[in-house]
Amino acid sequence: MKTTKPLIILGQASVSFLKEWDSAFSTGSDIKKAHVFFCDYSNCDIPVGHVFDTIQIDNIIVADCQIILKRVSQQFLKPFDYIPEGWQTICEFEFIGKVPEIIAASFPIIESWDSPNHVIIKFS
């Protein structure tokens, strides 16, 4: 299933939020290595397990990679089986192979969707 438009990523979840995430989902993973991002409103349903294959900035592909959607939730940390159309979500992703440098270089750490220092980067 390919999304019709890219998923907009606003920023990386803060360490304090990641502790809540780990507690809610019992991931048991190293929170310093977790790739949990605040995502903007989705234009379509996207199931857990979906694989994105590019990262875009200003509609220009800046990295080709495989990014698997692993977990989806929202502000109350209720697990979802998919990103619902029209929702802002918090999602955990797994990068297959090396994590692209653009992730470390461009993603601000944010506390919520309303954080003033967010960026718009797209997974498609």
Side-chain angles (χ1 to χ4, degrees), residues 8-18 20-21 36-41 73-77 88-91 107-120:
I8 297 173
I9 311 299
L10 299 174
Q12 187 169 318
S14 66
V15 171
S16 61
F17 181 85
L18 287 176
E20 293 177 46
W21 179 269
V36 179
F37 302 112
F38 285 89
C39 303
D40 208 1
Y41 299 101
S73 189
Q74 37 64 303
Q75 66 199 34
F76 301 112
L77 294 177
Q88 287 182 309
T89 54
I90 306 155
C91 301
F107 276 70
I109 306 298
I110 61 175
E111 297 289 334
S112 74
W113 295 276
D114 299 324
S115 293
N117 63 334
H118 72 269
V119 295
I120 295 179

Side-chain angles (χ1 to χ4, degrees), residues 17-58:
F17 181 85
L18 287 176
K19 288 178 184 175
E20 293 177 46
W21 179 269
D22 188 55
S23 177
F25 290 97
S26 301
T27 64
S29 59
D30 183 351
I31 61 172
K32 292 178 184 174
K33 294 182 181 178
H35 300 288
V36 179
F37 302 112
F38 285 89
C39 303
D40 208 1
Y41 299 101
S42 177
N43 73 319
C44 60
D45 292 346
I46 305 171
V48 167
H50 179 82
V51 179
F52 299 91
D53 56 18
T54 63
I55 298 174
Q56 301 177 29
I57 299 177
D58 296 327

